[in-house]
Amino acid sequence: MAIFMIDKVKKSFANGDVEEQVLKGINLSLDEGEITALVGPSGSGKSTLLTIAAGLQRASDGHVYFNGKNMTNMSQEQIRQIRASEFGFVFQSSHLVPFLTVEEQLMLMLTISDTKIKKQEQKVEVTKILKLVEMDHRRDSYPSSLSGGEKQRVAIARAIIHQPKMLFADEPTASLDSKRSKDVMKLIQDLTKRLNITTLMVTHDEEMLTYSDRVITMKDGLIV
Amino acid sequence: MNIAWKEIKKSKIRFLILGSIVFLVSFLTLIISGLSNGLSQDNAALIKDLPDGQFYMNEHANETYNLSRIDESTQETLVNEQKDAAALSIQMGFVNDADDKQHSVAFVTSTDSNLFEKVEIGEIVLDQSIEEDGIKVGDAVTNNQFGGEFIVKGFVDQKKYSHAPVAYINMENYQEIYGVKEMQLVFVPGQDNAQAIDGLQSFSNKEFLSTIPSYSAEQMSLNMIIWFLVVISGMLFAIFFYMMNVQKIGLYGILRALGVKTSRLFGMMWYQMFFITAIALTLSVALSQGFTMIAPEGMPFILTLEITIQLSIIFLIIGFIGATLSGFQIRKVEPLHAIQQGEI
């Protein structure tokens, strides 16, 4: 069943006097628990599509539906609420908060998301997720003392701690070596399947496609 | 979770620098305020200690009490009609002690009143600061323009005028020294609104203080320094938080992408501002109060609790405004740009 739908989405940017159309009418639907990879050459519009889907920018035309609701008509505040409680993000760089420990990064996400998890159970949940990403032993460490792979594991843990319905990943393995990339992708695959999270991921790395259920190729602002 | 506090804990040095600057500026402001208040007392305690009321002087005196002469009949009518009213004169002069050492004083004389010392002919009541020069009750002091001697009847606490100790003398003695029959001023206590009296100009206590040239010039300069320091501290807050916010644009963008409300980011900044200011102010208030105890003898330094609280509130408000102004850039942060920027 489709949990996420992108309907005739277009996006253009003004470049001086010229209007550049980056997305030229994209239709896409994502099924619950499915991992979809967006691939394509640079400038094909895959990152723009991901950020529109994630509610980080608005489409110039077309509609985005999440859970049957049209996000295009929502206010910034409504979109923020969805981002906080229903979406999870993994970026190319881990983007962890530098002054929070690993445990605090996850606790912060629980606070932001207004989770239904009771206060006393939050610590237990954090421990559970940290064990899943094998970072429980570094729970009191600050990001500055973690390796790239460890940071990305924490970023993944932060993205799923509040049990989102959607996970958006923008080149999650781009800053990692081949072995660590595979580990991280395995982790995303394992966790999203286990928690039934729908994933939309942008990647350049063809090796990572084996972890996806579906691969969508984009070129010049269109799905090919 | 209090992320504002977590950041302070992790970035101690950064916040310590800001706190130190706020502490130094607020400490300096309190010290100068204490000096300003002390000098103000030293300059015009005689007037400042009077209850609120109205001063009357001759309208042709060009707002200079020294040039004022109040007609005797007008003075008599005013003093008799108004309860507790007193006619008074103030003139700078000096007295010589037994060793012929000169002491500058402000001679003050008045008609019968509870507001001024009652002094018999040939007697003098001096400000306590003169006692520190070795003059005692019962001593005789002289004045070059006075034929006889003044016997020191007693001392009064903190009565100064134009930085000189006040010397209360009898009206007859005053008239002999200065050769004038008329008084310079009439003071009517408790009068909120001035009474229109032909030939006289009225001044509230505050207005009268500003007619004293040395007083207004001195206070204006000191007040200007105080307000400059207050404005500077506000600017420091704005600049420092602006710089910190610029460094944290990426972080704010990510937090907004994750769904943190802009109001929470502002709350984080305000918490940090209030925390730093509160600690800096506590320290500077404690030290400035400590300074009142160790201030050198003779240094006019008075820092009241009222002024301290007032300045502390102003510092908090100005810090809040500075931080808020700098925080407007948070609203402009695009989560998308922050994500594309790379590591925060």
Side-chain angles (χ1 to χ4, degrees):
Chain A
M1 199 186 108
I3 188 173
F4 204 88
M5 271 180 64
I6 292 169
D7 180 29
K8 295 177 199 136
V9 162
K10 291 179 184 169
K11 181 73 182 176
S12 8
F13 294 104
N15 188 2
D17 292 338
V18 188
E19 195 166 85
E20 235 176 84
Q21 202 163 27
V22 180
L23 298 177
K24 297 169 180 169
I26 302 284
N27 292 309
L28 179 66
S29 72
L30 306 176
D31 286 342
E32 214 168 338
E34 187 182 49
I35 300 177
T36 305
L38 282 174
V39 292
S42 291
S44 59
K46 50 189 191 308
S47 283
T48 307
L49 181 62
L50 183 97
T51 52
I52 288 174
L56 293 169
Q57 62 174 327
R58 289 194 186 259
S60 308
D61 199 9
H63 301 277
V64 176
Y65 296 92
F66 167 66
N67 240 354
K69 288 176 193 154
N70 190 349
M71 284 172 65
T72 325
N73 300 331
M74 288 181 184
S75 66
Q76 283 295 345
E77 174 55 20
Q78 285 171 314
I79 292 177
R80 184 203 65 75
Q81 279 174 12
I82 289 182
R83 276 209 311 266
S85 55
E86 310 281 8
F87 292 176
F89 296 91
V90 180
F91 309 109
Q92 188 172 334
S93 302
S94 58
H95 286 310
L96 298 175
V97 181
F99 49 83
L100 296 182
T101 63
V102 167
E103 183 183 332
E104 287 164 352
Q105 308 274 350
L106 272 56
M107 292 298 283
L108 172 68
M109 198 58 225
L110 288 175
T111 318
I112 296 169
S113 65
D114 243 342
T115 177
K116 288 164 205 86
I117 304 168
K118 287 178 193 155
K119 267 252 173 317
Q120 56 270 36
E121 289 167 19
Q122 287 185 1
K123 273 227 165 191
V124 179
E125 191 62 25
V126 167
T127 307
K128 197 175 99 187
I129 298 290
L130 283 178
K131 278 185 178 157
L132 279 179
V133 298
E134 294 170 18
M135 284 299 290
D136 192 34
H137 62 295
R138 302 298 307 266
R139 63 190 305 146
D140 295 323
S141 305
Y142 285 97
S144 55
S145 65
L146 302 177
S147 69
E150 285 177 323
K151 281 183 195 171
Q152 211 59 332
R153 282 173 175 275
V154 177
I156 292 166
R158 180 179 68 180
I160 60 164
I161 180 79
H162 56 301
Q163 298 163 2
K165 289 200 169 66
M166 294 287 307
L167 176 68
F168 295 96
D170 188 7
E171 309 229 24
T173 58
S175 56
L176 306 175
D177 60 33
S178 169
K179 189 193 170 297
R180 287 209 174 96
S181 296
K182 281 178 190 163
D183 288 346
V184 164
M185 274 316 299
K186 256 187 226 159
L187 186 65
I188 290 177
Q189 187 188 41
D190 179 40
L191 292 174
T192 53
K193 292 294 171 196
R194 201 186 296 193
L195 303 167
N196 200 29
I197 297 170
T198 309
T199 306
L200 182 62
M201 170 181 75
V202 166
T203 183
H204 265 112
D205 192 341
E206 286 194 7
E207 264 192 88
M208 301 305 125
L209 301 180
T210 53
Y211 300 95
S212 317
D213 299 315
R214 191 150 66 118
V215 178
I216 306 275
T217 308
M218 288 186 70
K219 196 179 174 191
D220 297 332
L222 288 167
I223 292 174
V224 289
Chain B
M1 186 203 300
N2 190 342
I3 49 174
W5 170 239
K6 302 269 177 197
E7 188 183 10
I8 293 173
K9 249 173 53 179
K10 190 78 174 64
S11 317
K12 289 185 197 82
I13 300 288
R14 189 188 290 183
F15 287 95
L16 196 69
I17 292 169
L18 176 61
S20 311
I21 295 168
V22 176
F23 158 71
L24 289 173
V25 175
S26 57
F27 181 58
L28 189 59
T29 311
L30 285 171
I31 292 289
I32 291 179
S33 180
L35 281 173
S36 160
N37 200 30
L39 279 169
S40 155
Q41 276 299 115
D42 203 55
N43 204 344
L46 176 75
I47 307 299
K48 290 185 87 174
D49 291 349
L50 288 173
D52 282 342
Q54 296 288 332
F55 284 87
Y56 293 89
M57 69 168 88
N58 192 307
E59 66 179 356
H60 301 298
N62 203 19
E63 297 190 356
T64 310
Y65 74 90
N66 258 333
L67 304 177
S68 173
R69 300 277 179 271
I70 295 179
D71 174 71
E72 273 182 277
S73 61
T74 314
Q75 171 194 312
E76 214 158 288
T77 318
L78 204 50
V79 170
N80 291 339
E81 275 179 6
Q82 302 293 335
K83 195 181 166 222
D84 297 328
L88 70 145
S89 280
I90 309 163
Q91 280 288 359
M92 302 310 290
F94 56 87
V95 289
N96 298 328
D97 62 18
D99 301 328
D100 222 19
K101 193 179 159 195
Q102 275 193 344
H103 301 268
S104 286
V105 292
F107 283 114
V108 175
T109 190
S110 71
T111 52
D112 268 0
S113 166
N114 295 330
L115 302 170
F116 303 95
E117 292 297 311
K118 201 179 260 181
V119 192
E120 299 297 331
I121 295 169
E123 287 180 345
I124 192 167
V125 173
L126 295 161
D127 176 70
Q128 206 157 28
S129 59
I130 292 263
E131 197 178 15
E132 287 152 22
D133 292 348
I135 295 174
K136 300 182 293 294
V137 174
D139 282 0
V141 291
T142 56
N143 177 278
N144 293 355
Q145 287 154 283
F146 181 57
E149 280 183 341
F150 288 116
I151 302 299
V152 179
K153 187 189 163 196
F155 294 98
V156 282
D157 250 349
Q158 288 291 321
K159 281 281 178 283
K160 292 215 169 175
Y161 187 81
S162 199
H163 301 296
V166 160
Y168 291 101
I169 53 173
N170 185 277
M171 262 172 69
E172 272 189 36
N173 296 145
Y174 180 91
Q175 284 162 353
E176 184 189 331
I177 294 173
Y178 292 103
V180 281
K181 281 252 175 252
E182 301 97 339
M183 294 280 107
Q184 294 165 339
L185 301 158
V186 173
F187 177 67
V188 182
Q191 210 178 36
D192 291 335
N193 297 311
Q195 194 183 336
I197 299 164
D198 205 25
L200 297 187
Q201 190 176 357
S202 65
F203 301 84
S204 65
N205 293 32
K206 209 175 157 188
E207 286 165 345
F208 181 71
L209 283 173
S210 64
T211 67
I212 307 170
S214 65
Y215 182 85
S216 26
E218 191 178 87
Q219 288 300 303
M220 207 187 285
S221 313
L222 289 165
N223 283 334
M224 210 170 76
I225 295 172
I226 291 167
W227 287 108
F228 263 124
L229 286 171
V230 168
V231 171
I232 286 169
S233 70
M235 284 166 70
L236 276 173
F237 265 112
I239 294 165
F240 200 90
F241 273 98
Y242 177 82
M243 283 162 67
M244 280 213 307
N245 288 341
V246 166
Q247 287 172 353
K248 292 197 294 190
I249 289 285
L251 171 66
Y252 288 143
I254 297 302
L255 289 174
R256 284 188 66 181
L258 295 177
V260 175
K261 285 182 184 174
T262 310
S263 58
R264 190 166 179 197
L265 297 177
F266 267 90
M268 180 178 164
M269 200 176 61
W270 288 328
Y271 176 94
Q272 291 171 342
M273 189 285 296
F274 276 110
F275 180 80
I276 294 163
T277 316
I279 291 181
L281 283 175
T282 308
L283 266 176
S284 56
V285 166
L287 278 177
S288 55
Q289 287 299 326
F291 185 76
T292 57
M293 289 173 222
I294 59 158
E297 195 85 1
M299 178 189 264
F301 187 88
I302 299 168
L303 189 58
T304 61
L305 192 66
E306 195 189 343
I307 291 176
T308 308
I309 291 170
Q310 268 176 11
L311 279 172
S312 302
I313 291 170
I314 288 169
F315 266 104
L316 283 170
I317 292 171
I318 213 95
F320 175 78
I321 293 170
T324 307
L325 284 178
S326 78
F328 280 122
Q329 62 193 306
I330 295 175
R331 296 182 64 181
K332 295 183 199 152
V333 174
E334 282 292 335
L336 195 58
H337 289 158
I339 293 163
Q340 287 160 352
Q341 256 178 17
E343 202 60 75
I344 46 175

